[in-house]
Every structure is written in C-alpha cells, then in structure tokens.
C-alpha cells in the first residue's frame, strides 16, 4: 500500500466537516494524492455526534451519504481507503461502568456501516476505534499493565474490538473478506506489546493491528525546539519500535498498519526530512504500512503536521523536504 495519508481534522471535526479550519473535501483534492505517490487514504470520521443517540445510535442519512461520497472518490482515484470511528471516545469510553453502552454503540455503528458498504471490495478497510483510552485520568496516555484501571480498560477495548468484527462479518455482502484494523489502549505500541492485549477472534482471519507512533515523542510531538534534532537516540528508538512490532505481530502473520505518524514542524526542515526518511524506510523493511497524519497546520510548534495543501493540491512549501524524505524512505 506504499505510504498513506490522513484526511485529518475534516470528517472527524466536530460539529461538521469545516469546523476545524480545513476546506470542504472535493474530488480534485483526492485525485492529486495519487500523483504524489500515496497508495492509501485514511478518512477519520466522528459518528457519535451525527446519530440519534442512545440506545439506537442511528446515523444521520446525510452524514453517511457524505462519507460514502468521499470514500467513492478515493476508490475511483485508485487508493485503498480506511474509515474509522474517530473522536467517539466518549461513546466507547473503556471503563467497566460504560462497557455495556460502549458495546451497544460499536454494534450499532459498525452494523450500519457494514451494511452500507457491503458491496464495496476489499480496498475499503474498516478500523474499529481511534485511541480508546481513559480520558481525563492520569493513565490517559500511559498504559500500565499492572494498573487495575488499565487492565479493565484493556478488557473493555477487547469487547469493543470483538463487537466490531462480529458486526461486520454478520452484515453479509463482501464484508466477510474485509480487512478490519483494531487498536490496543490509546493505539499505543507499548499497550499492543502487553500481555493484556489480544486480537479478536475472526472467522476470516483478516484482522490487522492498528497503532499510532509519533516516535520519538520529544522530537515529533513536543513544540519546544530543545528537541528538534534527529540524532542516534531517535534512530535507536525507531528501530526498536519496528523490530518489536515485527517480532510480536508480523512474524506471526498479523499485519500492522501505523495509522498515524508524523513529526511536527519546529522550523527544522532538514531534521524532519531525516526523520521521515528513516522512519518510513525502517517501516517498509519490516512490511509495515505508515499513514502520515496531516491536520493542515504549518506553523511552528506542537500539532503542526500540515503536509498537503488542500487548496493548491500541492505539498506545502514548509513541508517539501519532509515529504521528500518520506518518499525517499519508501525506496530504501
């Protein structure tokens, strides 16, 4: 699938597609991605706010139609497509108290989606959840397999992942052969490596591991320029990440997709180029597909992951070397 690209802060934005400052998605925007060397587009979608609410969670027809339109454009452009349940953590919050509601939400949403897309071929991939976690707690982004709350959260996440797989397989059509990505707690690679994580049972054997890796965190996520250099410590951490995912999953026949990755802009174009080249080359050598996160922001500091200008349909000037490093890494 080569490299992938995220349509970030768009169909996942709340309350609507342009609410977080990104333009309305058009066909030309999607078409240009193929020419830039991308083979996959991840389309994050938030569903909860576009439903009737509990207990039925009926998706608004207009919202589902809009998502299907964008999916169709991407498939027509020759891309593989991932759709997920993105900023819906409040609905599938992985606590024991919310477990019943979480399972109900997952069953309803994925039954509806699987039925709507039942005739679509295997180029359309489903992803059960996005970063399910105990938001608002000390453990939100830190998974500790010895922490009782984390253990319970892992159990609820496993229930939700199994519910998604069951709903999709039972929906008929081409869904029996559809690939389904499932995350661990917070989509964390370390949580995936934990003995508390298990993949759902799947009669078709087409479940993939979904993780996110802004690695190393200090370089890729923190806004401070104190950590703006790509050095040997960065190489070691990335190499360890890829080797761990390979040994635990790929070597055992479980494909892995890093559904989000990226390196924020700190006014350090050459260091971002080095990061992208090394990260993507290491992933490719291990058979791991990476999907770059793009929220359209190109300032300097945290959360500035803009790569592709959705108005000009070109790479942002600030990110040209970043993009070149990524493409170079795919061929190494």
């Amino acid at each position: 699938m080569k490299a992938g690209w995220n349509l970030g802060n768009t169909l996942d934005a709340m309350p609507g597609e342009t609410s977080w400052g990104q333009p309305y998605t058009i066909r030309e925007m999607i078409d240009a991605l193929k020419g830039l060397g991308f083979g996959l587009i991840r389309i994050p979608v938030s569903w909860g706010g576009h439903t009737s609410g509990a207990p039925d969670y009926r998706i608004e027809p207009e919202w589902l139609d809009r998502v299907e339109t964008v999916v169709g454009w991407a498939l027509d452009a020759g891309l593989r497509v991932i759709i997920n349940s993105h900023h819906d953590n409040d609905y599938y919050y992985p606590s024991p108290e919310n477990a019943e509601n979480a399972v109900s939400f997952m069953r309803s949403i994925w039954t509806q989606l699987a039925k709507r897309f039942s005739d679509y071929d295997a180029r359309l991939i489903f992803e059960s959840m996005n970063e399910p976690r105990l938001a608002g707690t000390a453990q939100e982004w830190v998974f500790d397999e010895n922490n009782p709350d984390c253990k319970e959260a892992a159990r609820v996440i496993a229930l939700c992942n199994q519910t998604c797989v069951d709903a999709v397989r039972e929906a008929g059509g081409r869904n029996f052969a559809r690939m389904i990505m499932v995350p661990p707690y917070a989509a964390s690679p370390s949580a995936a490596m934990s003995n508390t994580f298990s993949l759902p049972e799947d009669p078709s054997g087409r479940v993939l591991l979904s993780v996110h890796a802004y690695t190393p965190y200090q370089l890729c996520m923190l806004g401070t320029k104190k950590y703006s250099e790509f050095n040997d410590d960065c190489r070691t951490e990335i190499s360890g990440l890829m080797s761990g995912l390979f040994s635990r999953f790929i070597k055992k026949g479980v494909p892995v997709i890093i559904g989000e990755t990226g390196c924020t802009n700190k006014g350090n174009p050459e260091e971002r180029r080095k990061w992208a080249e090394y990260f993507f080359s290491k992933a490719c050598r291990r058979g791991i597909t990476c999907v770059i996160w793009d929220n359209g922001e190109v300032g300097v500091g945290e959360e500035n992951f803009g790569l592709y200008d959705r108005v000009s349909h070109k790479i942002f000037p600030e990110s040209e070397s970043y993009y070149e490093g990524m493409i170079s890494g795919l061929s190494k």
Side-chain angles (χ1 to χ4, degrees), residues 154-175:
R155 182 185 65 83
V156 176
I157 290 167
L159 284 174
C160 288
N161 281 331
Q162 187 67 61
T163 299
C164 173
V165 170
D166 292 345
V168 172
R169 300 299 181 229
E170 292 167 5
R174 294 183 168 182
N175 287 307

Side-chain angles (χ1 to χ4, degrees), residues 216 219-220 225 227-232 234-235 238 263-279 321-322 325:
L219 172 66
C220 294
K225 290 191 175 182
Y227 302 103
S228 59
E229 179 185 351
F230 184 76
N231 54 31
D232 286 342
C234 298
R235 294 181 180 90
I238 292 170
C263 187
T264 192
N265 179 24
K266 299 182 184 180
N268 56 341
E270 180 59 20
E271 302 308 302
R272 292 178 85 205
R273 184 197 67 77
K274 292 176 184 177
W275 172 87
E277 183 174 70
Y278 193 82
F279 192 97
S321 59
Y322 180 49

Side-chain angles (χ1 to χ4, degrees), residues 116-248:
R116 171 59 74 96
F117 292 103
S118 63
D119 292 333
Y120 284 67
D121 63 33
R123 293 177 299 155
L124 176 61
I125 301 164
F126 291 159
E127 180 183 20
S128 63
M129 295 177 286
N130 180 75
E131 299 176 347
R133 63 199 186 278
L134 296 172
T137 75
Q139 303 300 138
E140 179 169 6
W141 298 110
V142 181
F143 183 80
D144 178 359
E145 64 179 13
N146 296 313
N147 181 293
D149 292 337
C150 288
K151 288 182 179 180
E152 279 298 304
R155 182 185 65 83
V156 176
I157 290 167
L159 284 174
C160 288
N161 281 331
Q162 187 67 61
T163 299
C164 173
V165 170
D166 292 345
V168 172
R169 300 299 181 229
E170 292 167 5
R174 294 183 168 182
N175 287 307
F176 189 79
R178 192 171 312 288
M179 289 182 284
I180 303 174
M181 298 165 57
V182 299
Y185 184 95
S188 164
S190 61
M193 301 291 184
S194 168
N195 291 327
T196 63
F197 177 72
S198 60
L199 293 168
E201 295 181 5
D202 178 24
S204 72
R206 291 176 181 264
V207 168
L208 290 69
L209 175 69
S210 171
V211 292
H212 296 171
Y214 296 89
T215 305
Y217 177 84
Q218 289 87 348
L219 172 66
C220 294
M221 292 287 280
L222 294 182
T224 173
K225 290 191 175 182
K226 179 180 179 181
Y227 302 103
S228 59
E229 179 185 351
F230 184 76
N231 54 31
D232 286 342
D233 288 342
C234 298
R235 294 181 180 90
T236 298
E237 190 168 342
I238 292 170
S239 295
L241 166 71
M242 300 305 174
S243 295
L245 291 172
F246 178 82
S247 298
R248 181 69 181 263

Side-chain angles (χ1 to χ4, degrees), residues 15 96 106 117 169 173 210 294 298 330:
M106 293 293 288
F117 292 103
R169 300 299 181 229
S210 171
D294 189 342
V298 292
L330 293 171

